[in-house]
Amino acid sequence: MTEPSRQAAALRALHRPGDPLILPNAWDPASARAVVAAGFPAVATSSAAVAEVLGHADGEATPVAEMFAAVARIAAAVPVPVTADLERGYGLRPAELVDRLLAAGAVGCNIEDSDPRTGELYAVEEQADLLAGIRAASRAAGVDLVLNARVDVHLRAYGPAEGRLAEAVRRGRRYLAAGADSVYPILLADPAQIRDLVAEVDAPVNILARPGIPDPGELAALGVARISYGSGLYAAARARMVGMLARIRAGDEVFPSGEDPP
């Protein structure tokens, strides 16, 4: 077994319903190393955070070569499996996307089912074809990538509120049939609905950690297999810096008395 295949298998095995993989998303080598030093067994990137530190807006505004170069720097910095947030694939054909991902050293990816620029959801079969193409290309390349299919029904407030869970289940099942390993109903927050979706798709489910979401222990009890933090840690770190800058500008004390700067 090659090293990428070994890492992909290790990453896939970490998706255990009821004992979820926790992914505090990184945005550069330093943050990735911090994730590993804290004891986490894998690293996920955040496309929004990576885009901002590279000087671009979220929503596939980052040139594709820059995004994959950032992923490569992160993967080279850590000894654990890396999964990359690739939005909807930057318009790449599946074989090129897989080739670039493997060349960057990552063994998994997120692919979302809405247009990052317009917010419109793609037709289910069109998205399933994309996922099936990525799965086929990864197997042809000799590495069975871990494919996390994001479902944007709740993010985009798609259709009547009372029908969103059923639509998320419908999409999740189809994406799994197309070759996805897990489904990611981003912004799904209601505990009862999370439990129902986990039961209905009968596969690993990824939930985004954010204010108002059940804590990791509660999510584990609901059967969740993966918890990610998106751009949350980056936003918190940036907010901390902005606050420190304001205190510096005002001439206030920045570091606690008697302590060295971090």
Side-chain angles (χ1 to χ4, degrees), residues 210-230:
R210 61 192 181 92
I213 290 288
D215 66 34
E218 294 172 306
L219 289 174
L222 295 172
V224 170
R226 172 168 165 162
I227 302 169
S228 52
Y229 283 73

Side-chain angles (χ1 to χ4, degrees), residues 67-214:
M67 181 57 72
F68 280 101
V71 172
R73 289 191 292 272
I74 289 169
V78 295
V80 300
V82 171
T83 179
D85 182 353
L86 297 183
E87 303 191 64
R88 199 178 179 265
Y90 303 95
L92 300 175
R93 297 178 68 85
E96 184 179 359
L97 184 149
V98 169
D99 285 348
R100 284 176 176 259
L101 187 67
L102 292 176
V107 294
C109 63
N110 282 7
I111 298 292
E112 56 202 52
D113 68 349
S114 64
D115 188 318
R117 296 170 179 80
T118 67
E120 295 295 318
L121 267 74
Y122 285 91
V124 174
E125 289 307 314
E126 183 177 358
Q127 185 69 6
D129 286 346
L130 173 62
L131 296 171
I134 294 170
R135 172 59 64 220
S138 77
R139 288 177 175 162
V143 181
D144 211 7
L145 294 173
V146 179
L147 183 52
N148 191 34
R150 205 178 85 177
V151 179
D152 289 358
V153 170
H154 293 84
L155 173 66
R156 305 301 186 187
Y158 180 79
E162 62 272 15
R164 286 176 195 152
L165 179 63
E167 178 65 11
V169 168
R170 182 177 80 95
R171 286 176 175 262
R173 286 174 169 171
R174 184 64 188 90
Y175 300 162
L176 291 163
D181 292 284
S182 54
V183 294
Y184 180 15
I186 190 168
L187 296 198
L188 180 62
D190 179 75
Q193 292 196 5
I194 291 171
R195 180 186 292 110
D196 288 347
L197 185 137
V198 166
E200 290 289 333
V201 301
D202 193 25
V205 171
N206 183 175
I207 294 295
L208 177 67
R210 61 192 181 92
I213 290 288

